[in-house]
Amino acid sequence: MTEPEAAPAAASQPESRNLVMRIAVAAVLIPLAVAIAYAGGWLWTALVTLAAIGLFVEWLAIVGLAGATRVTVPGVAALAIAGLCFAIGRLDAALIVLGVGLVAVVSIAPERRSWAAAGFLYAAAAEIASVLVRLDPVKGFAALMFVLLIVWVTDSGGYFAGRGIGGPKLWPRVSPKKTWAGAAGGFAASLAVAAGFAAFDLGKVGPLLLLSGALSVVSQLGDLFESAVKRRFGVKDSSHIIPGHGGLMDRLDGFVAAVVVAALFGLLRGGADGVGRGLMVW
């Protein structure tokens, strides 16, 4: 093997090992997340609250406020207390606590207040939306799985389509590896999820196809948004808490965007206690 041939082969080995690690970790975390989502109630709320706290802490680290304890503490406390309120069914109290938390974060932040506020809103929106989508006892689990599956297949479909087909880059200045082919592959995979749900009589095929396509696009925009924030501050990964995957923001960026949009849509159609029905019943 010549030197030019050996270089790509050597470069591909770490990528292959990373892919194996990603698959192995996903094989553990995905069933666990699905089981907790199925259980719902305080278990799901606890997981969502911990994830929201992790998102906020990682955001602060990305924007250079990792050492600002007086910003981290009130934000984390507000998200945790709001989680307790959600767990006992006090949505109104949770929203009040999060509002107070936002004011505290903005007031106390010594610098980059707008970025600190954006991070808290990002985490709080993820917490609120994730709880509301699962809240409906009849359609909540189906609605949550619909959103999760769309995000997962969009990410996986985009990864394999992008690597297999290649072609023009989607937004090279922000995310050099993402391609238009990958975006199209992820979008197509999301439509398969909608078709599967319709086949199992979990919704009407037409509305579900439109909704899945929209959420797939939103998921990809959420991914690009997180990449843009990291690029702005010269950060590669939000953290290294998940082996082979980076940080929570690196894995949940698409889900946060998709679940927030899904919750807003379901809220408009079904109300606060019927977000799941608003998404799945047509």
Side-chain angles (χ1 to χ4, degrees):
M1 181 181 294
T2 64
E3 185 175 342
E5 292 173 333
S12 67
Q13 290 178 2
E15 292 184 11
S16 299
R17 286 195 295 269
N18 186 58
L19 178 59
V20 171
M21 176 66 74
R22 286 167 65 99
I23 293 173
V25 172
V28 174
L29 294 182
I30 288 177
L32 180 61
V34 170
I36 295 175
Y38 179 76
W42 69 268
L43 272 176
W44 174 248
T45 300
L47 178 63
V48 165
T49 300
L50 289 174
I53 290 171
L55 289 173
F56 179 58
V57 171
E58 287 189 357
W59 180 288
L60 292 181
I62 289 173
V63 303
L65 292 172
T69 305
R70 58 180 177 173
V71 179
T72 305
V73 171
V76 168
L79 293 167
I81 296 171
L84 290 174
C85 294
F86 281 128
I88 62 176
R90 292 299 305 272
L91 302 184
D92 54 346
L95 295 178
I96 292 172
V97 169
L98 292 173
V100 172
L102 176 61
V103 172
V105 167
V106 173
S107 302
I108 297 173
E111 57 182 343
R112 297 179 179 174
R113 290 184 175 180
S114 60
W115 285 104
F120 184 81
L121 287 172
Y122 184 83
E127 184 177 29
I128 295 168
S130 299
V131 170
L132 287 180
V133 170
R134 180 63 184 89
L135 191 61
D136 183 351
V138 178
K139 292 293 184 179
F141 177 65
L144 181 59
M145 287 308 304
F146 185 71
V147 176
L148 284 170
L149 285 171
I150 287 172
V151 173
W152 289 337
V153 302
T154 295
D155 185 50
S156 299
Y159 178 83
F160 289 108
R163 286 178 61 86
I165 300 174
K169 302 299 182 181
L170 183 62
W171 194 358
R173 187 169 64 87
V174 169
S175 187
K177 293 184 178 181
K178 288 183 172 57
T179 65
W180 283 101
F187 182 85
S190 75
L191 300 183
V193 171
F197 270 67
F200 283 95
D201 200 26
L202 294 173
K204 295 182 179 179
V205 63
L208 288 184
L209 284 172
L210 292 174
L211 185 58
S212 67
L215 292 180
S216 177
V217 171
V218 169
S219 173
Q220 297 188 57
L221 290 176
D223 193 343
L224 290 172
F225 168 73
E226 193 240 2
S227 296
V229 173
K230 290 191 298 184
R231 178 75 61 175
R232 164 69 173 76
F233 291 95
V235 175
K236 184 178 184 298
D237 294 318
S238 60
S239 75
H240 300 284
I241 193 172
I242 308 175
H245 291 263
L248 287 172
M249 282 186 65
D250 297 321
R251 289 301 92 207
L252 297 179
D253 47 11
F255 172 73
V256 171
V259 79
V260 168
V261 170
L264 288 172
F265 186 77
L267 184 66
L268 291 174
R269 296 193 70 238
D273 60 346
V275 171
R277 293 192 301 275
L279 287 170
M280 306 305 297
V281 178
W282 298 79

